[in-house]
């Protein structure tokens, strides 16, 4: 899973399997969360978001789960494809006057053919 | 789709040079941001701007300044580049400063300071 720190966790999955990427966020008052995907040499790309009044949100092949009790966020990718290989990181909206986003360090998803 | 364009993909500069990183967005977004991304450290906010001619320091503003003369353009300036400013720089924009608004990122500028 992902956490703020100096290492980049790696998740290796077989093509066609489901992937689960985890994120521990820091502020119990954060009210909005986003998952980004960053391919090598590119900028981060929005995948899916969720507000704190929801526990689950689904997109195309992706699902985000939010557990506010333990401050945990997860991204599930169904039927993982080689094109899903990238670094995935979560962001929490820290709220306050600036509505600042705090980013995690990311998890590298490696899809094996 | 929102397009955030960073003028340079790769830059190599020498220590002490003044460096300009340019960013343009095409969706009339009010908010713009500059981040740097370093291995193991994630994205760290350098400066942001809520509107034209407005700027706010982020978490690591030292050694940087910004300029926002037009709504679509947000420039990051390294007054005197140093080797510890070698990094990937990412520009982003957001429609408003309200809650629950996602950022749209450019492709990044990889800056090497020698």
């Amino acid at each position: 899973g992902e956490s703020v720190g100096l290492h980049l966790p790696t998740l290796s999955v077989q093509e066609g399997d489901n992937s689960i990427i985890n994120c521990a966020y820091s502020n119990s008052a954060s009210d909005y969360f986003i998952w980004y995907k960053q391919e090598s040499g590119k900028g981060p790309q929005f995948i899916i978001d969720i507000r704190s009044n929801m526990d689950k949100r689904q997109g195309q092949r992706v699902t985000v789960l939010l557990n506010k009790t333990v401050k945990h966020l997860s991204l599930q990718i169904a039927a993982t494809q080689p094109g899903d290989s990238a670094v995935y990181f979560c962001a929490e909206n820290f709220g306050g006057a600036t509505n600042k986003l705090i980013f995690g360090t990311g998890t590298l998803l490696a899809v094996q053919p | 789709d929102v397009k955030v364009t960073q003028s340079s993909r790769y830059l190599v500069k020498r220590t002490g040079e003044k460096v300009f990183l340019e960013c343009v967005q095409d969706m009339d977004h009010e908010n713009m941001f500059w981040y740097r991304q370093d291995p193991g450290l994630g994205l760290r906010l350098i400066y942001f701007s809520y509107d034209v001619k407005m700027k706010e320091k982020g978490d690591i503003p030292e050694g940087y300044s910004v300029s926002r003369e037009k709504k679509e353009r947000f420039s990051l300036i390294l007054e005197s580049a140093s080797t510890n400013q070698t990094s990937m720089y990412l520009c982003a924009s957001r429609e408003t400063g309200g809650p629950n608004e996602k950022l749209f990122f450019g492709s990044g500028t990889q800056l090497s300071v020698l």
Side-chain angles (χ1 to χ4, degrees):
Chain A
E2 173 185 339
S3 61
V4 175
L6 298 179
H7 65 282
L8 189 64
T10 299
L11 176 65
S12 184
V13 300
Q14 291 294 124
E15 181 178 357
D17 287 352
N18 296 334
S19 303
I20 300 176
I21 301 170
N22 298 303
C23 175
Y25 64 92
S26 59
N27 185 4
S28 57
S30 291
D31 57 3
Y32 176 60
F33 306 87
I34 311 173
W35 278 100
Y36 283 94
K37 171 187 180 183
Q38 188 174 21
E39 297 174 271
S40 180
K42 296 184 179 181
Q45 178 185 3
F46 170 83
I47 303 174
I48 192 168
D49 57 1
I50 188 169
R51 292 179 172 80
S52 59
N53 60 353
M54 303 170 69
D55 297 324
K56 178 180 179 179
R57 191 169 188 215
Q58 288 184 292
Q60 187 178 14
R61 279 202 309 120
V62 295
T63 300
V64 55
L65 298 177
L66 175 63
N67 186 331
K68 295 181 286 293
T69 302
V70 295
K71 294 189 288 186
H72 184 267
L73 195 66
S74 68
L75 177 70
Q76 300 179 359
I77 304 173
T80 313
Q81 302 168 0
D84 295 327
S85 295
V87 174
Y88 291 81
F89 52 89
C90 66
E92 61 180 301
N93 183 38
F94 221 66
T98 62
N99 287 304
K100 189 167 68 172
L101 285 176
I102 303 297
F103 291 88
T105 53
T107 296
L108 174 62
L109 176 64
V111 181
Q112 309 301 323
Chain B
D1 280 351
V2 175
K3 189 170 184 181
V4 180
T5 304
Q6 295 183 230
S7 56
S8 301
R9 185 68 185 91
Y10 298 97
L11 275 179
V12 180
K13 297 292 181 181
R14 297 206 175 273
T15 300
E17 280 193 76
K18 190 169 186 177
V19 182
F20 293 86
L21 302 183
E22 305 289 346
C23 175
V24 177
Q25 50 94 2
D26 66 357
M27 286 300 291
D28 202 36
H29 282 177
E30 295 179 359
N31 300 171
M32 296 188 74
F33 303 80
W34 274 106
Y35 291 86
R36 63 177 285 176
Q37 185 178 32
D38 300 287
L41 297 179
L43 274 71
R44 293 181 291 166
L45 181 63
I46 304 172
Y47 265 97
F48 60 99
S49 170
Y50 283 135
D51 205 344
V52 175
K53 297 192 184 296
M54 296 180 68
K55 58 186 179 184
E56 295 285 341
K57 292 180 179 179
D59 299 319
I60 51 164
E62 296 79 19
Y64 303 95
S65 62
V66 290
S67 173
R68 186 131 183 240
E69 296 297 317
K70 294 184 178 181
K71 193 173 186 179
E72 67 270 19
R73 185 180 297 272
F74 192 35
S75 303
L76 180 69
I77 304 156
L78 286 67
E79 296 291 342
S80 178
S82 62
T83 55
N84 63 12
Q85 292 179 308
T86 291
S87 185
M88 169 69 82
Y89 289 87
L90 290 163
C91 176
S93 74
R94 183 175 67 185
E95 186 170 7
T96 70
N100 308 334
E101 293 282 352
K102 57 184 174 284
L103 298 181
F104 296 89
F105 285 90
S107 296
T109 296
Q110 181 62 54
L111 173 67
S112 296
V113 182
L114 306 179

